[in-house]
């Protein structure tokens, strides 16, 4: 009896030990696969600098600064999911660095994950209450959800510590702009420029605010913004909108054309050109703009609706119906194509 008892117990112990060993090996395998993914992903071989830092990570897998550096590189390449993984890895290796937590929060915020970003930014502030990036990011969250007093509070903490922080004045300008206080918004953006003369976002905002006032100084700000970074064609597009609002349609079309020449996927320029051609009763030319828009942004219901309007005006009713239906398929709450279809059905019944 005792022999049987001890034999069973010994077998159970042996089985339990074997199970634990298998679990341990599986865990090591998973960790190995995870770590391999951090260095063996083919994307890391596509750029010499990326390849070099990945090799450094392979040699020093516990160096948080390398993951943080590669994360910033990946973010610049718009590979945000990989960047986020690196920032998280950096924060797990070195739990004392506020900037690593802040980087995760920044990236989540940029990708519209507000609820996900806040805890990371709060961790950054807890690690370093004087971290200006984290406080300004929290201010952006408050701006986004229209809690302006809370946003001002965070900004003022930063500016008291460093009155030469241009982003603080820029964010104040954005708050005032959202509050429809144009004078204070302009003043805040100009203060940002007095601290950092090439602060491009502030330059663009001044261009837009003066454009709303139809003040030609808007063009100088927009030109300046474009000269600082000509890879972003938004200032050219904004110049077109300025002329369009003034009714200078030919100049507006020129600007939109320049915008498209430099970035032929800038869909908003095609929309604006289409509106101008419709106002000039050039329906076929407007149709071409919206037709291009449907090819560039094929999930945009407005592109199909606008093309449908052109088809309807050209008496291409079958194609108009197809466009309106496509617009509704993409957005079932879109009223304009629904009303257009109902109008066409009513007209058909009248004729039939």
């Amino acid at each position: 009896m005792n022999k049987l008892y001890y034999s069973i117990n010994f077998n159970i112990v042996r089985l339990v030990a074997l199970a634990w060993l298998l679990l341990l090996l599986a865990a090591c395998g998973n960790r190995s696969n995870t770590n391999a993914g951090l260095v063996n992903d083919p994307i890391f071989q596509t750029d010499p600098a990326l390849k070099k830092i990945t090799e450094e990570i392979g040699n020093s897998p516990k160096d948080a600064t390398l993951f943080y550096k590669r994360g910033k590189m990946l973010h610049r390449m718009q590979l945000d999911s990989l960047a986020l993984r690196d920032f998280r890895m950096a924060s797990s290796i070195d739990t004392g660095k506020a900037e690593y937590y802040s980087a995760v929060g920044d990236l989540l915020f940029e990708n519209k994950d507000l609820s996900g970003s806040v805890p990371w930014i709060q961790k950054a502030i807890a690690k370093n209450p004087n971290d200006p990036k984290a406080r300004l990011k929290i201010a952006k969250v408050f701006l986004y959800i229209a809690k302006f007093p809370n946003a001002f509070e965070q900004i003022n903490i930063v500016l008291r510590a460093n009155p030469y922080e241009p982003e603080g004045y820029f964010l104040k300008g954005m708050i005032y702009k959202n509050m429809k206080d144009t004078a204070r918004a302009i003043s805040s953006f100009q203060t940002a420029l007095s601290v950092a003369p090439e602060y491009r976002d502030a330059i663009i905002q001044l261009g837009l605010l003066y454009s709303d006032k139809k003040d030609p100084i808007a063009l100088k700000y927009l030109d300046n913004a474009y000269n600082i970074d000509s890879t972003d064609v938004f200032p050219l597009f904004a110049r077109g909108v300025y002329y369009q609002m003034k009714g200078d349609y030919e100049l507006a079309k020129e600007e939109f054309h320049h915008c498209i020449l430099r970035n032929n996927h800038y869909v908003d320029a095609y929309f604006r050109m289409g509106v101008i051609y419709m106002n000039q009763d050039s329906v076929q030319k407007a149709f071409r703009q919206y037709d291009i828009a449907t090819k560039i942004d094929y999930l945009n219901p407005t592109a199909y609706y606008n093309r449908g309007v052109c088809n309807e005006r050209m008496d291409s009713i079958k194609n108009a119906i197809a466009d309106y239906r496509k617009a509704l398929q993409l957005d079932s709450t879109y009223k304009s194509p629904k009303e257009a279809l109902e109008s066409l059905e009513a007209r058909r019944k009248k004729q039939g």
Side-chain angles (χ1 to χ4, degrees):
M1 180 74 172
N2 285 342
K3 280 184 182 178
L4 180 61
Y5 175 78
Y6 286 119
S7 173
I8 291 170
N9 270 347
F10 179 74
N11 285 334
I12 290 170
V13 169
R14 190 165 57 182
L15 286 169
V16 169
L18 182 60
W20 273 107
L21 180 61
L22 289 171
L23 285 171
L24 182 62
L25 288 172
C28 289
N30 287 338
R31 191 179 299 115
S32 172
N33 289 338
T34 301
N35 289 338
L38 294 170
V39 293
N40 293 339
D41 194 313
I43 197 73
F44 298 144
Q45 308 302 312
T46 59
D47 177 85
L50 199 56
K51 183 178 178 181
K52 182 176 182 294
I53 196 169
T54 300
E55 288 170 356
E56 291 175 13
I57 287 172
N59 294 328
S60 305
K62 295 295 183 183
D63 190 335
T65 60
L66 292 175
F67 282 101
Y68 179 63
K69 187 177 176 183
R70 189 176 69 175
K72 291 199 292 185
M73 201 179 293
L74 290 164
H75 179 44
R76 284 195 297 271
M77 296 170 70
Q78 297 185 334
L79 298 169
D80 284 354
S81 60
L82 293 175
L84 189 62
R85 185 173 66 175
D86 274 1
F87 289 148
R88 281 181 165 146
M89 180 61 72
S91 70
S92 69
I93 295 171
D94 185 350
T95 59
K97 282 278 181 73
E99 61 192 297
Y100 299 160
Y101 293 98
S102 189
V104 176
D106 283 355
L107 200 49
L108 289 170
F109 179 83
E110 285 178 22
N111 286 279
K112 304 294 186 289
D113 185 357
L114 293 186
S115 59
S117 71
V118 170
W120 287 91
I121 299 167
Q122 288 173 332
K123 285 178 187 176
I125 293 173
K127 297 290 178 186
N128 178 9
N130 298 318
D131 180 7
K133 285 186 178 179
R135 289 201 178 275
L136 291 175
K137 187 57 68 175
I138 285 283
K140 284 182 186 177
V141 173
F142 285 133
L143 167 61
Y144 191 84
I145 61 177
K147 290 190 174 180
F148 301 138
N150 302 80
F152 276 128
E153 181 184 359
Q154 295 299 320
I155 293 166
N156 288 333
I157 290 171
V158 172
L159 291 178
R160 277 196 295 270
N162 178 15
Y164 299 103
E165 174 54 69
E167 190 177 2
Y169 300 108
F170 173 76
L171 287 176
K172 278 193 170 187
M174 293 303 296
I175 294 169
Y176 287 129
K177 182 179 178 181
N178 277 271
M179 293 169 65
K180 312 297 183 189
D181 190 339
T182 303
R184 284 186 177 178
I186 287 173
S187 176
S188 294
F189 292 136
Q190 286 173 336
T191 303
L193 291 185
S194 70
V195 174
E198 292 200 349
Y199 197 109
R200 190 170 181 272
D201 288 341
I203 294 170
I204 288 174
Q205 288 301 323
L206 285 167
L208 296 177
L209 288 172
Y210 281 115
S211 184
D212 288 341
K213 292 157 71 78
K214 297 183 181 176
D215 187 328
I217 198 173
L219 299 174
K220 291 183 180 179
Y221 280 112
L222 295 171
D223 281 344
N224 191 8
Y226 182 68
N227 291 333
I228 291 170
D229 181 6
S230 59
T231 63
D232 176 15
V233 298
F234 175 77
L236 299 179
F237 172 76
R239 281 175 60 93
V241 174
Y242 167 81
Y243 285 121
Q244 186 179 9
M245 288 194 304
K246 287 191 72 179
D248 294 337
Y249 291 149
E250 296 311 311
L251 287 174
K253 284 191 289 187
E254 279 183 31
E255 294 294 345
F256 294 138
H257 185 62
H258 290 155
C259 177
I260 290 165
L261 281 176
R262 286 160 179 78
N263 181 353
N264 61 7
H265 283 75
Y266 205 90
V267 71
D268 287 347
Y270 294 102
F271 274 105
R272 291 281 180 165
M273 291 270 274
V275 170
I276 290 172
Y277 281 128
M278 290 292 274
N279 288 337
Q280 294 178 328
D281 291 325
S282 299
V283 181
Q284 287 185 335
K285 289 181 179 179
F287 171 85
R288 281 198 290 273
Q289 301 305 311
Y290 296 130
D291 188 49
I292 295 169
T294 62
K295 290 173 174 60
I296 295 171
D297 191 1
Y298 61 91
L299 295 178
N300 189 324
T302 307
Y304 292 98
Y305 169 70
N306 287 358
R307 190 176 71 176
V309 171
C310 293
N311 272 319
E312 187 175 350
R313 290 198 186 181
M314 293 187 296
D315 290 325
S316 183
I317 304 303
K318 185 178 177 181
N319 288 329
I321 289 171
D323 280 336
Y324 294 148
R325 284 178 177 163
K326 180 66 176 178
L328 276 175
Q329 180 187 331
L330 292 169
D331 182 0
S332 60
T333 65
Y334 195 178
K335 287 183 180 180
S336 297
K338 186 179 180 183
E339 290 170 357
L341 278 172
E342 288 170 355
S343 175
L344 284 177
E345 288 298 327
R347 196 191 311 172
R348 268 186 177 181
K349 285 177 182 177
K350 233 178 185 180
Q351 292 171 349

